[in-house]
Each structure stands twice: as structure tokens, then as C-alpha cells.
Amino acid sequence: DEEPFRPIEIRDTQSKGQMRTIPTRIRRDRVVKLRWSPDSQLIACGGNVASGPGYNGAVDLWRVNTGEQLCQIRLRSQWSGHGEFCFAPNSQCIAIEDDGKDFFYSVLRIFDVHTATSLQTLSHPRYDRIRAVAWNSADGQIATGTDSGKVFLWSDEYEAIGVFEGHSGAITCLDWSPNGRRLASAGADSGVTIWDASGNELLTFGEHNGPITELRWSPDGQLIAVAPKGTEVVVYDASQAYRLAASSRFNCERAEVLYGEAMALRSIGDLKGAMAKISQAIELNPSNHRILAFRGMVHLGLEQFSKAEQSFHAALSLAPHYPRYLHYVGRTHEVQQKYDSALLDYSNVIDG
């Protein structure tokens, strides 16, 4: 039987339309991670492929513009959710976590992205598995985080130059600051540590509700976004560890409850009550296009036409593939007897 492979879909973030579909040779239920190259010309897809009676890890490398596959890098290990890899700053190499001589050794292997040639192998202590990798764009140093809670630092010539110790659990995410002078680490102990390039601990913060699965610096190096598993995304001031904002799944769920209450109130004619509820929902989740569009409907019922139009356009900007929101704008114009504008809106709906 033919293997059920999963393609990569590339979408435009502005129009949300699909730009390209790239095939892979990785089974659709075994894709682990995707990574863009720094120059945005390549995309890497990591997962498991059939190998004899079982499966082994592999990374597919593709040109984004043409959909051409450069190569497939086969690994010794079978990847589960921990498989990790990252591109070099010049996009010419890729670093991939793999098994060493046996399962008990974890290594970082450096490959040429065009030929899949193995260039270097960075060995780690026995029984200490690599969970995170970050390549410094400023000086080419590589940081690896492991189950032991240690951060290993490697030079641009792939020589071991330091070990940072401070975490009490496995490190699951690493990220260099944009200027390459600071390294942020986080993981199972729910804390975040910021180091300088020499391994000095600059800041330690965070008593989160679970292990941290991801963190990223802002492009200006002033902020850090942290994602504890299954809870929220928290943004911190990176110089003082001051918590600035949080977007939680609880907020989204509470917004949906308020949205339902608002619909119930509108159905019995209590438009002011519906507006109060839907306004609370938008405060909790301002990027939900359905909630924004419903606020427009309530504004329309209250004959607040300009506000209704603003709400529909806000919903349309978040979901341009929903032409019915443009239909709602046309309806608002029609109620105001702006028939030429309404006709243009309806024509755009049909054309879309």
C-alpha cells in the first residue's frame, strides 16, 4: 500500500491564502517539526520515514520558491516529540539531534543542506539527551540543552567551550538574543534563565504552572515570550524580568462563554445586555473574528451604523476568506439607504 504522506502547505500571512504545497516523504502521522532557513529560501521538515520493519528519523530539505527537494537526511534515531534541529545563520548547514553509537549517546550532527554530507558530530555525555538547539547568528556559536539541565556551548569551529549549569530539570528550549550577547534557556523546572555568552547567569525568573515548551526573543531584544505547556503565553521585559502581558487559553474559553450569553440575550431582544457581554468577550479575546462580527450585528440592531461597519471590517481583516462579513457591510449600507455602496459590496461578495 502507498504510504500516507503529508504535504507542507505554505500560506500568505496577509491574505491567508495558500501559496504553495510541497510534498514530503515523511508519514503524515510522524511529522515532528518544521523550520525556515534564515534566508527564507529553504524549509526543513523533520519526522519519521519507513526504514526496514520500523521507522527512523529524517529531515527533508526543500526550496520554497520552486518546491524542489534538495535532499533527505536520514538519521540513526527514531524521532518522537523531542526531535530537534536548526539552520546555521548562513543557511548553508543544519544541525540535527541524533543517536550516537547507540541509543544511550546523544549527538548533534552538522550537515551540508545541499548534499546531506555530514560535516561534524558534537558528542554529549552518555545518558544525557539533547532537547534544544540554538545557533548564534552573531558569532556562529551553538548552544545545546539536555535532559540534565545543562547548556553546552560550542564554538563556530565546533569545539566544546563551556557548560552552563543552573536548571533543575531538562532544558526544552533555547534562544539567542538578536545581537547574540545573551542566551535564554527554559524547560521542565518552569523557570527561565538568561545568560551572557560566557555562561554568567544574568537573570532567573518565572514560577509558571508547568514545563516551558517554547520561548522567543522579540526582534529588538527587549522582550521574551514564554509558553508554559498547555496554559498561556507570557511576555516579559528581558532586562528586569517584569511580566508585561499574558494571553491564556482560559481567556479564550471565557470569551466563548460570554459570546454564547450575548447571542442568547440578542435572541430575546436585549441588545444592550448583548452588547455588554460581547464587549467583555472582545476584551478577553480581541482577535476572534466571529465575536467581532457578532458585535457588528448588535451595533446594527441598535442602529449604530458606523460602529457596525467598523466591527464588520475588523472581522473581515482577520478573516478575509469569509465573504459574508462583506455581505454584512453591504447590509449596513442598505439599511442606511446607501444603495450604491451596498450594490458594490454585494458585487464584491459575488466576485470573491
Side-chain angles (χ1 to χ4, degrees), residues 15 45 75 97 99 101 118 121 130 135 197 240 274 315 333 340:
S15 68
C45 174
L75 307 173
E97 178 269 326
D99 286 344
K101 296 179 180 179
S118 180
T121 298
I130 299 169
W135 211 318
Q240 302 176 10
H333 288 148
D340 289 343

Side-chain angles (χ1 to χ4, degrees), residues 286-308:
S287 60
N288 187 309
H289 60 88
R290 295 181 298 109
I291 294 177
L292 287 168
F294 183 80
R295 181 179 66 178
M297 298 300 293
V298 178
H299 278 308
L300 191 58
L302 292 168
E303 298 184 353
Q304 299 169 342
F305 301 121
S306 62
K307 291 182 178 180

Side-chain angles (χ1 to χ4, degrees), residues 245-266:
S247 173
S248 71
R249 187 173 64 180
F250 171 80
N251 285 353
C252 296
E253 292 172 350
R254 177 60 182 156
E256 290 292 333
V257 171
L258 289 166
Y259 175 35
E261 293 175 355
M263 288 193 291
L265 289 170
R266 178 173 176 260

Side-chain angles (χ1 to χ4, degrees), residues 95-129:
I96 307 175
E97 178 269 326
D98 195 9
D99 286 344
K101 296 179 180 179
D102 56 52
F103 176 78
F104 302 107
Y105 284 95
S106 186
V107 300
L108 190 71
R109 300 174 67 190
I110 313 296
F111 293 90
D112 183 292
V113 299
H114 300 283
T115 64
T117 302
S118 180
L119 304 176
Q120 190 64 254
T121 298
L122 310 183
S123 298
H124 288 67
R126 191 173 174 85
Y127 304 115
D128 199 8
R129 191 125 207 124

